Amino acid sequence: MRHGEFHVALAASGHTVTGVDPADASVAAARARPGGERVTWVEGTSAVRFRTEAELRASLTSAGFVVDRVYGGWRQEPVGHGDGEFVVLARAGTVAPVF
């Protein structure tokens, strides 16, 4: 994809979009494309910080979910012993779990 093509498409679909790129020339090219004015463009870098299990549980709980189980992978490994993903079984409200 060319600079900003995906961002502009998302913005055209009604999403609020911020595009981040470390190269000023790339930001300028993306900003100049048709529809580029719908996107907030930022020159810089982005970093991803993954949540801890405790943070994930707290976020889901505050959103009204009850977390039944958290695994460390798709084979139901304990957290820290799987493939590095959280697999979460959660339900809305206080409905009894069905397994």
Side-chain angles (χ1 to χ4, degrees):
M1 286 196 166
R2 294 178 301 271
H3 299 295
E5 187 174 0
F6 183 66
H7 300 79
V8 169
L10 284 173
S13 296
H15 298 279
T16 301
V17 179
T18 301
V20 181
D21 197 291
D24 184 50
S26 295
V27 172
R31 189 178 279 132
R33 69 178 301 111
E37 72 282 353
R38 295 181 179 159
V39 179
T40 301
W41 299 104
V42 178
E43 181 186 348
T45 59
S46 60
V48 175
R49 185 187 78 76
F50 294 98
R51 296 178 183 191
T52 65
E53 180 184 356
E55 290 171 327
L56 179 61
R57 284 178 177 274
S59 293
L60 289 169
T61 299
S62 70
F65 289 92
V66 176
V67 178
D68 290 319
R69 297 186 182 137
V70 178
Y71 297 113
W74 291 102
R75 293 184 187 98
Q76 300 181 353
E77 304 94 338
V79 172
H81 297 284
D83 54 17
E85 298 178 338
F86 285 133
V87 177
V88 180
L89 299 178
R91 55 191 159 82
T94 57
V95 178
V98 177
F99 295 103

